[in-house]
Amino acid sequence: MESKEHTLSILVENTPGVLSQVSRLFSRKGYNIDSIASGTTEDPKVTRITIVMNGDDATIEQLAAQLRKLLCVISVKVLSTEDAVQRELVLVKVKANSKDKRDEILQIVSVFRASVVDISRDTLTISILGDENKACALMDLLADFGLLEVVRTGIIAIERGIRTIYEDTKESGEFNYGKNVL
């Protein structure tokens, strides 16, 4: 079976330890998480966790089914690349100890529609919002100046169009009966 990148979008109850509980499932099964991002939704009682990992389709579906069994999980969706908008925020601190270097870096940054969020006599800190390819391409160009530090948020994703993770489907309700009975 072919291993490829998959994005899992998971809604969970916003309670202490929930991120640890979800990530432990992957660790127990021996799967590596390439990217994980977590944050509250429009409802402060609900957190969305976005996980990117490599695996074949059968493995991903098995992990999604096991995630749905966790009491803290409200809903799980496997997002396809074509049907989702994915973004990552990357902060890059780069050496810029002369006016000429700063000017050259600023030109490169503007081409990528990135922004400078901090400036000092010796450094520029650049914010890049986009897909992984955009961030990597910009970092490759900035590497010539000397990368001092890179911080990445991890990928977040949402479905395109009218579909949402809240859809009343078998995926979101498959294991809810047992949760409500407890």
Side-chain angles (χ1 to χ4, degrees):
M1 291 195 171
E2 180 185 338
S3 181
K4 62 182 180 180
E5 187 174 271
H6 292 273
T7 304
L8 293 164
S9 189
I10 308 158
L11 288 182
V12 295
E13 297 167 358
N14 190 5
T15 56
V18 72
L19 184 60
S20 174
Q21 193 176 356
V22 168
S23 63
R24 258 195 327 266
L25 175 75
F26 288 80
S27 143
R28 275 195 321 264
K29 302 293 178 185
Y31 295 109
N32 187 46
I33 294 173
D34 295 328
S35 169
I36 186 167
S38 170
T40 56
T41 65
E42 66 282 356
D43 179 353
K45 296 177 186 171
V46 178
T47 294
R48 181 187 296 255
I49 301 171
T50 305
I51 295 176
V52 177
M53 64 172 291
N54 280 300
D56 58 56
D57 293 341
T59 299
I60 299 304
E61 286 305 322
Q62 179 185 18
L63 278 169
Q66 290 177 359
L67 282 165
R68 289 183 195 104
K69 291 179 186 179
L70 296 176
L71 291 176
C72 61
V73 172
I74 298 166
S75 181
V76 177
K77 254 197 176 169
V78 180
L79 302 177
S80 70
T81 309
E82 304 81 36
D83 294 335
V85 177
Q86 298 187 5
R87 294 290 183 267
E88 179 179 27
L89 173 64
V90 181
L91 296 176
V92 180
K93 188 180 291 187
V94 63
K95 285 183 191 176
N97 49 10
S98 74
K99 183 182 179 333
D100 291 340
K101 284 186 179 181
R102 279 193 297 276
D103 289 343
E104 194 175 343
I105 292 168
L106 289 172
Q107 285 181 337
I108 294 169
V109 166
S110 72
V111 168
F112 279 84
R113 294 186 183 146
S115 57
V116 175
V117 293
D118 187 54
I119 188 167
S120 75
R121 291 198 183 281
D122 298 319
T123 66
L124 289 173
T125 301
I126 293 121
S127 169
I128 311 156
L129 179 64
D131 64 24
E132 188 176 10
N133 294 334
K134 176 182 178 179
C136 289
L138 180 54
M139 285 191 299
D140 285 346
L141 290 172
L142 294 175
D144 294 341
F145 298 94
L147 298 181
L148 297 173
E149 197 170 6
V150 175
V151 180
R152 301 179 89 135
T153 60
I155 293 170
I156 58 171
I158 193 166
E159 276 188 291
R160 293 183 187 277
I162 191 109
R163 290 179 303 219
T164 69
I165 195 166
Y166 299 108
E167 289 177 321
D168 192 19
T169 63
K170 184 173 189 252
E171 271 191 352
S172 63
E174 187 172 4
F175 295 101
N176 283 346
Y177 176 73
K179 293 178 189 177
N180 295 333
V181 173
L182 294 178

